Amino acid sequence: MTSRETCPSAPAGAAVTGQATDRPADAHTSGAQAQRLASALRVGPISTITAAQELDIVHPPSTVRWLRNRGYSIKTEWIYKTTEPGRRPHRVGLYVLASEPS
């Protein structure tokens, strides 16, 4: 089965990627990922790790750039955050929404 074939056990319209999914196939477009990030930023700051793990954004810095190119003002602050207990912290971006396009 290729990555674009559907699976009987997957939700309607979902692409099979070797993992179970609860998102439609188009949820990984740049626009869909940007919508998820913009919605989360309206609530508060989001780290690169949180964006990747909880929002299912493949490459958060690219999604931030995508939004900035469309008029969003997003500040980047640098923080140290662990990915797992007991692991050394990583320096990651913390994105803060300053303003949206008018």
Side-chain angles (χ1 to χ4, degrees), residues 58-80:
V58 178
H59 189 253
S62 292
T63 305
V64 169
R65 182 173 48 251
W66 195 93
L67 288 167
R68 285 176 176 153
N69 288 341
R70 283 154 183 81
Y72 287 79
S73 177
I74 300 170
K75 309 275 188 216
T76 302
E77 298 175 4
W78 296 105
I79 62 169
Y80 286 88

Side-chain angles (χ1 to χ4, degrees), residues 33-58:
Q33 291 180 61
Q35 278 186 324
R36 289 196 301 273
L37 184 58
S39 294
L41 286 168
R42 287 182 190 109
V43 176
I46 300 291
S47 75
T48 302
I49 293 171
T50 301
Q53 292 177 345
E54 295 179 17
L55 301 178
D56 196 25
I57 294 175
V58 178

Side-chain angles (χ1 to χ4, degrees), residues 17 21 23-33 36 56-58:
T17 60
T21 180
R23 295 190 193 278
D26 63 350
H28 292 297
T29 65
S30 297
Q33 291 180 61
R36 289 196 301 273
D56 196 25
I57 294 175
V58 178

